[in-house]
Amino acid sequence: IAKQYRLKKDSIGVPDIYLGVNISKRKLDSDEEFWTMSSHKYLAAAIKNIEVTMKEEGIMFTSKASHPFSSLLYRPELDNNPMCDDQQIKYYQNLIGILRWVVEIGRIDILFEVSLLSRFLMQPRIG
């Protein structure tokens, strides 16, 4: 590789992060090695970015939800709330992209909810 590309000194080594995912090599008691992945660092950065954006835009949660996805009975065809403008649509799509990557890197426990929210990517509504 060094013949084709200019490399920084000491830049080649065991990876510790890849596409926002923490990776590390571990060893079992039997001396067998394996790789692990953690989404902790990506999640912390994503949450911080979202909080900053919400603060800048003046967006606040009005209340805490009693459980993660409060209404599975939502029927979009009956919703008469206003449609999001272009900026709000872009923000919603960005949030869904973050959530999809979080699922991809290991948080499969939120897959169903992210799939439900993804249905509204084209025309999300306010509220």
Side-chain angles (χ1 to χ4, degrees):
I1 294 178
K3 290 179 183 178
Q4 295 289 331
Y5 303 99
R6 187 171 26 136
L7 303 172
K8 293 180 184 176
K9 192 175 187 175
D10 300 327
S11 66
I12 305 222
V14 177
D16 60 348
I17 192 164
Y18 180 70
L19 297 175
V21 180
N22 298 67
I23 55 176
S24 62
K25 203 172 199 179
R26 304 281 185 191
K27 197 178 260 193
L28 295 172
D29 292 336
S30 63
D31 286 339
E32 193 174 354
E33 292 182 330
F34 62 97
W35 288 93
T36 63
M37 293 176 45
S38 169
S39 59
H40 177 75
K41 192 171 188 175
Y42 178 81
L43 283 172
I47 290 169
K48 183 179 177 185
N49 289 338
I50 291 167
E51 287 174 343
V52 166
T53 303
M54 288 178 69
K55 187 174 183 179
E56 288 172 355
E57 298 294 323
I59 302 169
M60 293 188 306
F61 292 113
T62 54
S63 65
K64 285 194 172 232
S66 57
H67 39 80
F69 202 70
S70 60
S71 179
L72 295 177
L73 303 176
Y74 175 67
R75 296 186 54 193
E77 67 273 10
L78 301 177
D79 190 351
N80 60 1
N81 286 328
M83 298 285 191
C84 293
D85 61 28
D86 288 344
Q87 182 181 355
Q88 292 167 326
I89 291 172
K90 184 177 177 181
Y91 182 63
Y92 183 79
Q93 291 171 340
N94 185 27
L95 291 175
I96 296 300
I98 290 168
L99 289 171
R100 284 182 171 178
W101 183 243
V102 168
V103 168
E104 207 52 46
I105 61 178
R107 288 298 308 268
I108 58 172
D109 57 315
I110 62 170
L111 175 62
F112 178 71
E113 291 81 4
V114 173
S115 295
L116 288 177
L117 291 170
S118 295
R119 296 185 308 175
F120 309 109
L121 279 173
M122 282 302 291
Q123 290 184 322
R125 294 182 177 270
I126 297 171

